[in-house]
């Protein structure tokens, strides 16, 4: 029986061969990447693998390595094991991948240059530039990359399975974080508990965890973990993920302490959230889905007396954008914010952005075998609210009442698995 990983490699080989031929290349060399350094500093930043490299291989700790993909040939891995007694060398991990790649151990980039020296006229190179003399091929040709990244939206069963595992890992850690919040831990202690539950260091996260109490939840990418308790622990927003074989989970949850009118609004939001999820279907425009989220948030703003006008007026006047300024979601895969969401076709022509929603990362339709997140929220952001502080359509007493809670959101990853709607995040929690 052909494994799902073998099917994945076969699909990638077909996709890459087609892209290479259409762009007049015969092969592509994909660089895993290397660590960068701060200005006048020899202390390296944590290494992050090129997403195009881990698209082929479940290897995320192999810097300065290469995959060579050629038309009609088995892909070739050049794995760097340089002579360096200062650092531990990455070990060659076991796995099925070894059956599907030719393997050459290298000690420096010159070995790769020598291996491809007769191919450079028809060779493309994808990754961080490491040479400008074109000895490794045409550097990051835009049309080739556009075609590959357009197709990266369509996930194989192997990719969806990796995303399932990543979501299960993240869900377990989320439960640990939730328990730590209700046990009275600080933001930093909850973050540390999350890492401990995954048995990783901070650099092993797909993105910086958001561990936010109270008004900190209004900071969309908050990661300034406090070490002391606030006077009141009103709310806890967590946005945190996990990585498996280079594929990422991205889950958000919100928890509140005690009962309040803010809790009533959060309860009503959850009804709207799951109603929004019920709109998901093949061929639906993700832009329309995002717009529906704004209509639902406008309804909540009116129902809970945050604005004095009705829901339709709040929507038409754009008030929901003050409380929900970001996009309702994005593609997810080897990158948390996966690529290709603005492409109209494989040539890389861009879909037209609507000026109302400049931060929406996904404009394509909900297609079979794509995976995207859904994360509408309501946030009381000082900077945005200050911009309309003289507007009498707002109930400023209510705004001041809710500001200390910061805001809330839920976030799940949705796989359109053969067209069937699969909530990877909720399914992961249900398996615990």
């Amino acid at each position: 029986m052909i494994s799902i990983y073998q099917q994945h490699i076969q699909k990638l080989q077909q996709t890459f061969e087609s892209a290479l031929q259409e762009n007049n290349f015969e092969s592509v060399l994909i660089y895993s990447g290397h660590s960068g350094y701060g200005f006048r500093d020899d202390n390296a930043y944590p290494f992050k693998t090129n997403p195009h490299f881990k698209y082929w291989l479940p290897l995320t700790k192999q810097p300065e390595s290469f995959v060579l993909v050629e038309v009609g040939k088995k892909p070739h891995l050049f794995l760097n094991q340089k002579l360096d007694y200062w650092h531990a060398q990455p070990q060659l991990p076991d796995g099925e991948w070894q059956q599907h790649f030719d393997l050459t151990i290298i000690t420096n980039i010159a070995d790769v240059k020598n291996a491809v020296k007769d191919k450079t006229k028809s060779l493309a190179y994808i990754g961080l530039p490491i040479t400008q003399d074109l000895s490794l091929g045409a550097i990051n040709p835009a049309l080739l990359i556009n075609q590959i990244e357009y197709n990266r939206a369509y996930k194989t069963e192997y990719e969806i399975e990796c995303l399932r595992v990543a979501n299960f890992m993240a869900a377990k850690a989320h439960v640990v974080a939730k328990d730590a919040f209700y046990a009275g831990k600080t933001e930093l202690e909850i973050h540390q508990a999350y890492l401990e539950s995954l048995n990783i260091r901070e650099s092993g996260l797909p993105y910086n965890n958001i561990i936010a109490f109270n008004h900190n939840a209004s900071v969309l990418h908050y990661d300034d973990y406090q070490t002391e308790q606030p006077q009141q622990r009103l709310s806890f927003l967590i946005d945190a993920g996990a990585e498996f074989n280079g594929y990422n989970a991205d889950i958000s949850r919100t928890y509140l302490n005690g009962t309040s009118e803010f809790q009533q609004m959060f309860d009503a939001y959850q009804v709207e959230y799951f109603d929004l999820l019920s709109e998901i279907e093949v061929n639906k425009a993700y832009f329309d889905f995002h717009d529906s989220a704004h209509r639902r948030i406008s309804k909540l703003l009116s129902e809970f007396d945050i604005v004095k006008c009705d829901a339709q007026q709040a929507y038409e006047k754009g008030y929901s954008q003050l409380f929900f300024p970001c996009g309702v979601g994005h593609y997810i895969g080897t990158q948390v914010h996966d690529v290709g969401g603005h492409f109209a076709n494989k040539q890389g022509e861009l879909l037209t952005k609507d000026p109302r929603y400049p931060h929406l990362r996904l404009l394509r339709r909900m297609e079979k075998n794509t995976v995207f997140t859904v994360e509408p929220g309501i946030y009381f952001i000082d900077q945005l609210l200050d911009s309309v502080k003289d507007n009498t359509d707002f109930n400023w007493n209510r705004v001041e009442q809710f500001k200390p809670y910061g805001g809330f959101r839920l976030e799940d990853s949705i796989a359109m698995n053969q067209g069937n709607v699969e909530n990877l995040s909720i399914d992961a929690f249900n398996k615990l």
Side-chain angles (χ1 to χ4, degrees), residues 123-195:
L123 176 68
Y125 170 92
I126 295 178
L128 287 171
I130 52 177
T131 176
Q132 296 299 326
D133 60 9
L134 303 183
S135 61
L136 295 177
I139 299 173
N140 295 322
L143 293 178
L144 176 65
I145 290 178
N146 287 348
Q147 188 162 344
I148 292 169
E149 293 189 339
Y150 176 82
N151 282 297
R152 267 177 51 190
Y154 305 110
K155 301 297 188 283
T156 63
E157 178 54 33
Y158 163 78
E159 293 182 279
I160 293 177
E161 180 59 25
C162 288
L163 290 166
R164 288 190 190 104
V165 176
N167 273 268
F168 184 72
M169 293 166 60
K172 289 198 297 183
H174 266 255
V175 171
V176 170
K178 173 187 175 182
D179 292 344
F181 171 68
Y182 286 117
K185 302 297 184 182
T186 65
E187 289 179 348
L188 180 60
E189 288 170 335
I190 293 173
H191 174 64
Q192 292 169 332
Y194 191 95
L195 295 175

Side-chain angles (χ1 to χ4, degrees), residues 78-226:
F78 295 90
L79 185 71
N80 196 332
Q81 296 275 280
K82 65 183 179 181
L83 302 175
D84 177 9
Y85 52 78
W86 292 102
H87 304 98
Q89 291 303 300
Q91 299 300 306
L92 186 65
D94 294 329
E96 182 192 347
W97 67 267
Q98 294 188 35
Q99 303 172 31
H100 306 295
F101 287 80
D102 290 331
L103 175 64
T104 298
I105 301 297
I106 63 173
T107 57
N108 57 61
I109 293 171
D111 298 335
V112 180
K113 289 183 179 181
N114 186 58
V116 302
K117 63 183 179 181
D118 297 327
K119 309 177 190 294
T120 54
K121 290 184 179 180
S122 60
L123 176 68
Y125 170 92
I126 295 178
L128 287 171
I130 52 177
T131 176
Q132 296 299 326
D133 60 9
L134 303 183
S135 61
L136 295 177
I139 299 173
N140 295 322
L143 293 178
L144 176 65
I145 290 178
N146 287 348
Q147 188 162 344
I148 292 169
E149 293 189 339
Y150 176 82
N151 282 297
R152 267 177 51 190
Y154 305 110
K155 301 297 188 283
T156 63
E157 178 54 33
Y158 163 78
E159 293 182 279
I160 293 177
E161 180 59 25
C162 288
L163 290 166
R164 288 190 190 104
V165 176
N167 273 268
F168 184 72
M169 293 166 60
K172 289 198 297 183
H174 266 255
V175 171
V176 170
K178 173 187 175 182
D179 292 344
F181 171 68
Y182 286 117
K185 302 297 184 182
T186 65
E187 289 179 348
L188 180 60
E189 288 170 335
I190 293 173
H191 174 64
Q192 292 169 332
Y194 191 95
L195 295 175
E196 184 177 359
S197 70
L198 290 173
N199 197 28
I200 61 171
R201 56 199 292 187
E202 199 164 42
S203 59
L205 292 170
Y207 58 93
N208 286 351
N209 284 347
I210 296 170
I211 306 289
F213 292 175
N214 302 348
H215 194 55
N216 294 338
S218 70
V219 181
L220 298 178
H221 286 169
Y222 174 84
D223 59 2
D224 185 22
Y225 317 122
Q226 300 301 299

